[in-house]
Amino acid sequence: MDNIYDLAIIGGGAAGLAACAAASRLGDRVIILEGTSSVGRKILASGNGRCNLMNTGALRYYGSPLFAESVLSRCGAAEQTRFWKSIGLVVSGEDDGRVYPCTFQAASVLDVLKREIGSRQAEISLNTRVCICYKETTDCFVLETENGRKIRSRRILVAAGGTAALKPGSAESGYGILKRFGHTIHPVFPALVPVETDSRSISGLSGIRIRCIVTLTDSAGTELHREAGEVLFTDTGVSGICVMQCARFIHGEGCRLELDMADRLFPDDTELADELLRRIRRYPDTDAKTMLIGLVPSRISYAVMKQAGIPLRGEKLGEISREVIPALIDAMRHYRITVTGTRGMENAQVTAGGAACDEFRPDTLESVIVPGLHAAGEILDVDGDCGGFNLMFAFGSGILAGLNGREPGF
Ligand SMILES: Cc1cc2nc3c(=O)[nH]c(=O)nc-3n(C[C@H](O)[C@H](O)[C@H](O)COP(=O)(O)OP(=O)(O)OC[C@H]3O[C@@H](n4cnc5c(N)ncnc54)[C@H](O)[C@@H]3O)c2cc1C
């Protein structure tokens, strides 16, 4: 049996690696147990390989936003910038608050973490999936791995991530470990994921992008969420950051996305009506199909006119009744797309739901049920918007768990 460690970390992702770096520099004997053949795979995949590692703007968290704020008030963008600097990574902030490594390469983030961990003689054990975990004495945990290792540690950190971006059927062992210690796991569901829709409202639009305001409503028409940004039409629905940020609010049948394509162009309906009438007057002999060209991409303009009930059977603009203008404005402001679901956990960037945060302390991420047990990162019931919020929470909570209330050495 191996000697006793100060900290054994289940999972070598963002949270686990940051915790290891923070604890080992304070002299702790630390081991990371990683179930796969490499650490930091999601760090490498993040931000299209550029790794948007934090955000200096207003915090945008769901699940347990107050807990996330509490964690980040102790180890947020300023503290994390100091942490990165101390291990040799210079970060670069963009005007919109997003922060990247100055190399704009996710590999740099993983490289500095691995160098720091290596320099402290902390261990990383790959292909070491933890399957059983229990407390042997009041201050000693035992972790048993699938490859037959038995590890003893005074503290353990469950940083096993969520189920987002995993193949269906992948084990969700992190949740099971926390559950067996008496922790509550809130139902998990995909967040930051493309949306699937009925085929009618997206027919012929695949590949088109349009800037608009997106409103998600439930079956009763009540607004669930609203975002502004670029919508991308796909073969099976819609995507784009604004759509993905709506996805976590989709619950139950009958949800709908409404796209306001006119807001940026004509915030006022009267102005929009004047513009449409002007087109009818000015180009009476042109094909009615040209009604919205120059305002929205042509393929979308046909779809909008169809939704407004305007037949496109070769009519001229001058033959279009002015009575249809209100319906056309309505279709431009509320282009309706029926939601049938999301692209699922496999295609999600983050897991919503997870371990109940009120069972953990925001300063050390220690369990209030089992002393010495910590949890950090995506396994907790915290999910953030696009823009670096998820990695920022994973790194911040990981660092605090590693420090365990001690002064940081950075
Ligand atoms: C494509 C993509 C792009 C993204 N881009 C961004 C971005 O630009 N900015 C941003 O903020 N966020 C981004 N995210 C989200 C972000 O990457 C995650 O929220 C974050 O990495 C979570 O870190 P974590 O350490 O909690 O979990 P993970 O990174 O998932 O790490 C958990 C680790 O635990 C291991 N593990 C699980 N169970 C066990 C076990 N029983 N024993 C041993 N090991 C185990 C897993 O193999 C894994 O390596 C992106 C996600 C994806 C999928």
Side-chain angles (χ1 to χ4, degrees), residues 326-350:
L328 197 49
I329 292 176
D330 182 62
M332 278 189 83
R333 289 228 187 274
H334 309 277
Y335 186 76
R336 294 168 188 84
I337 302 176
T338 303
V339 172
T340 54
T342 71
R343 297 286 316 280
M345 213 42 125
E346 198 180 348
N347 296 294
Q349 285 196 7
V350 70

Side-chain angles (χ1 to χ4, degrees), residues 300-312:
I300 290 191
S301 86
Y302 310 151
V304 169
M305 292 179 79
K306 217 162 118 192
Q307 199 165 88
I310 301 172
L312 294 172

Side-chain angles (χ1 to χ4, degrees), residues 158 172-188 351-360 375 378-381:
V158 185
E172 303 171 10
S173 54
Y175 298 123
I177 289 169
L178 289 178
K179 237 191 220 169
R180 278 189 291 278
F181 277 115
H183 278 281
T184 312
I185 307 297
H186 294 154
V188 295
T351 313
C357 291
D358 57 359
E359 295 170 356
F360 293 88
E378 202 175 306
I379 196 163
L380 291 167
D381 184 4

